[in-house]
Amino acid sequence: MKFEDRYSRQVLFPGIGVEGQSLLAKGRVVIVGCGATGACVSALLARAGVGHLTIIDRDFVEPSNLQRQSLFDESDAIESLPKAVAASRKIAAFNSEIQTMPVVADLTPENIGSLLGDADLILDATDNFETRYLINDFAVKHGKPWIYAAAVASYAVTMNIIPGETACLACMFPSPPEGTVETCDTAGILNSAVNLIGSIQATEAIKFLVGAKDKLRRTLLSFDVWSNDQAEIAAGRPHSGCQTCEKREFVHLAGERRPQITLCGRNSVQIHERNRPVDFAEMSARLGTHGTVKHNAFVLKFWREPYEMTLFPDGRAIIKGH
Ligand SMILES: [Zn+2]
């Protein structure tokens, strides 16, 4: 397949051209989270010819994801494939010329340096503020640009963060939201809202990679696809007094270790046990007497009513009650 043919319609676009296309091929982008936003943005960037994509996600594909997470299909959900692995396989089927690296892990203060250190650009496609503040700390500390994106129900929001030039996440929101935060598990989500924000994020990423910095949006943009309400707040310069930008206190990066057990989703808990590798064959034999067990190379699933446990090779487990 000829390079020129594949990208011909994009090269025709004056903002990209031949030079922009070769810059995209050299680009290194890390996508943190591969739910709906991550699936959208990684598919668009892969099709656009961004040369190196790292896709980080801790979760596996479930039937309730298929409504909006456009890279996955029913067989991925039946196999409980990790999202990062499923995404990487799908991308290879439509663009085998780029490199993708799937990483099945939580992004933590311990591994963020090795996973994000080489990135030209970091894309937030997570579903939680804990990880976003961690990305913000790392990005500001090392002067790496990142793009915040979030969606819930019919509402979506995004902002480009260029350390030293624009406000950072902590400038705009000095502390994470308190109390109950609406999530896709409580408020639902329209697939169009999340794919809209992924598309805007992908476009900003392409502008950055081809060097069209004057075209990058300098606002916090929000859009409600149901009410059609939209708003833009100037993100401006780094705010004076910002704990992260100005004081350079990277509290999330320094972070006390995460609690051993965290809630994820409405009826699930995650047990963070890293670096305690599990032998799936041996574990299957042990659990087989207590319930139903099934495993592949990536996950082991165990059912005993009313619980379902998903175990990863590094010892991390997600336990779900029905
Ligand atoms: Zn700041």
Side-chain angles (χ1 to χ4, degrees), residues 19 97 138 151 160 164 178 195 236 244 249 297 313:
E19 197 186 329
E97 292 172 353
F138 181 83
N160 299 331
E178 282 178 14
N195 281 279
T244 312
E249 290 169 5

Side-chain angles (χ1 to χ4, degrees), residues 124 129 132 148-152 155-159 173 193 197 217 220-223 231:
D124 159 36
F129 273 93
R132 291 188 179 111
Y148 160 59
V152 66
Y155 175 82
V157 59
T158 180
M159 181 172 85
F173 310 103
I197 220 66
R217 211 189 53 257
L220 175 79
L221 168 71
S222 62
F223 199 103

Side-chain angles (χ1 to χ4, degrees), residues 67-89:
Q67 164 256 357
R68 64 195 175 282
Q69 302 184 10
S70 56
L71 267 182
F72 309 132
D73 60 35
E74 291 177 0
S75 68
D76 300 324
I78 290 164
E79 282 187 68
S80 296
L81 270 189
K83 291 180 180 180
V85 172
S88 180
R89 285 185 183 177

Side-chain angles (χ1 to χ4, degrees), residues 167-277:
C168 79
L169 185 69
C171 291
M172 304 298 277
F173 310 103
S175 49
E178 282 178 14
T180 314
V181 180
E182 292 271 49
T183 68
C184 302
D185 285 335
T186 56
I189 177 83
L190 291 185
N191 59 15
S192 51
V194 71
N195 281 279
L196 169 76
I197 220 66
S199 297
I200 293 171
Q201 192 186 37
T203 314
E204 296 298 308
I206 288 171
K207 292 181 200 174
F208 174 81
L209 293 170
V210 303
K213 281 186 77 178
D214 59 321
K215 300 288 183 199
L216 287 170
R217 211 189 53 257
R218 307 270 175 150
T219 60
L220 175 79
L221 168 71
S222 62
F223 199 103
D224 187 312
V225 293
W226 201 255
S227 66
N228 289 312
D229 288 334
Q230 48 182 301
E232 284 192 83
I233 300 165
R237 301 278 309 157
H239 296 191
S240 69
C242 173
Q243 186 186 25
T244 312
C245 291
E246 193 180 271
K247 298 185 183 159
R248 298 187 72 79
E249 290 169 5
F250 304 114
V251 292
H252 303 276
L253 201 53
E256 326 78 73
R257 280 183 66 89
R258 271 180 160 221
Q260 194 76 359
I261 298 177
T262 51
L263 282 169
C264 62
R266 189 170 38 187
N267 54 1
S268 305
V269 291
Q270 183 177 200
I271 301 175
H272 307 268
E273 188 64 76
R274 278 179 292 276
N275 305 318
R276 292 254 310 255

